[in-house]
């Protein structure tokens, strides 16, 4: 029981370090977590996320694939896979990864937003607009979704819709 417990402790430390931008230390802790317990899907997912933040995309993607092989319902791993694939310009594969993330965690608006962004980068502005509308149906106060929808609408020639969405985003943005 000691190895899985130690693996979890290292994974949690890696997560905390990575969220504080201490990526080199986080990488060491995540690597230790997967060494201690190779069946810890969350440790593989965080290790991949950390590697992706460092631009080590090939190794990061390999870790995410291990994570989803261990736990096919690991929405975080699929979302991270999508981020990595978007970073490398593999938009169609990224979109499929986001679809899997959404299937496994339909309440995580981040996967929808990231998928819409990948669609936009791919040039599928109508698809991106549709996904941004889905986010807005789930959370009307998402200024990011209104900004994204406005951008997508502008790309497909709906300039009135673009202005309307940007105005909504401005109204929702916190005042400083």
């Amino acid at each position: 029981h000691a190895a899985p417990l130690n693996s979890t402790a290292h994974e949690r430390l890696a997560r905390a370090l990575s969220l504080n931008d201490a990526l080199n230390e986080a990488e060491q802790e995540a690597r230790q977590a997967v060494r201690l317990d190779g069946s810890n899907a969350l440790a593989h997912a965080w290790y991949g996320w950390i590697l992706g933040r460092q631009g080590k995309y090939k190794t990061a993607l390999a870790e995410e694939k291990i994570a989803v092989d261990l736990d096919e319902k690991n929405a975080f791993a699929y979302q991270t896979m999508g981020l990595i694939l978007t970073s490398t310009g593999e938009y169609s594969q990224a979109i499929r990864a986001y679809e899997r993330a959404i299937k496994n965690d339909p309440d995580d608006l981040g996967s929808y937003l990231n998928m819409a962004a990948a669609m936009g980068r791919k040039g599928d502005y109508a698809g991106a607009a549709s996904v941004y509308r889905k986010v807005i149906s789930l959370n009307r106060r998402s200024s990011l979704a209104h900004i994204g929808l406005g951008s997508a609408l502008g790309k497909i020639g709906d300039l009135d819709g673009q202005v309307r969405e940007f105005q909504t985003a401005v109204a929702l943005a916190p005042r400083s």
Side-chain angles (χ1 to χ4, degrees):
H1 297 303
L5 185 59
N6 276 340
S7 175
T8 299
H10 284 283
E11 173 260 313
R12 298 286 166 88
L13 179 55
R15 183 188 315 189
L17 289 166
S18 69
L19 295 175
N20 286 305
D21 289 324
L23 296 178
N24 290 331
E25 295 92 342
E27 180 184 354
Q28 292 171 3
E29 293 300 328
R31 185 180 314 114
Q32 184 65 15
V34 298
R35 281 185 186 150
L36 286 168
D37 182 4
S39 66
N40 184 337
L42 196 53
H44 284 283
W46 274 100
Y47 189 27
W49 187 83
I50 292 161
L51 292 168
R53 293 247 346 254
Q54 294 174 311
K56 300 173 183 177
Y57 299 125
K58 186 176 180 179
T59 310
L61 198 54
E63 287 299 321
E64 298 307 333
K65 286 180 179 176
I66 293 169
V68 297
D69 285 346
L70 291 168
D71 177 7
E72 65 183 27
K73 295 190 181 298
N74 190 331
F76 175 67
Y78 283 114
Q79 184 179 45
T80 302
M81 197 179 288
L83 291 169
I84 294 163
L85 292 164
T86 299
S87 295
T88 61
E90 298 174 62
Y91 305 122
S92 294
Q93 290 180 13
I95 292 164
R96 284 193 294 276
Y98 292 129
E99 287 170 344
R100 292 293 300 267
I102 291 165
K103 177 183 175 191
N104 291 315
D105 187 359
D107 296 328
D108 181 12
L109 299 183
S111 291
Y112 290 99
L113 291 168
N114 289 328
M115 182 169 72
M119 289 173 148
R121 287 187 180 178
K122 184 182 174 195
D124 180 5
Y125 304 114
S130 175
V131 175
Y132 285 124
R133 283 186 180 104
K134 172 69 175 174
V135 173
I136 292 166
S137 78
L138 297 170
N139 179 1
R140 292 200 155 298
R141 301 197 53 77
S142 173
S143 58
L144 285 176
H146 287 285
I147 291 168
L149 179 55
S151 296
L153 291 174
K155 293 288 189 179
I156 59 177
D158 181 356
L159 301 183
D160 290 338
Q162 180 183 48
V163 168
R164 186 176 54 252
E165 291 304 322
F166 288 159
Q167 287 172 332
T168 301
V170 167
L172 290 173
R175 306 270 189 244
S176 54

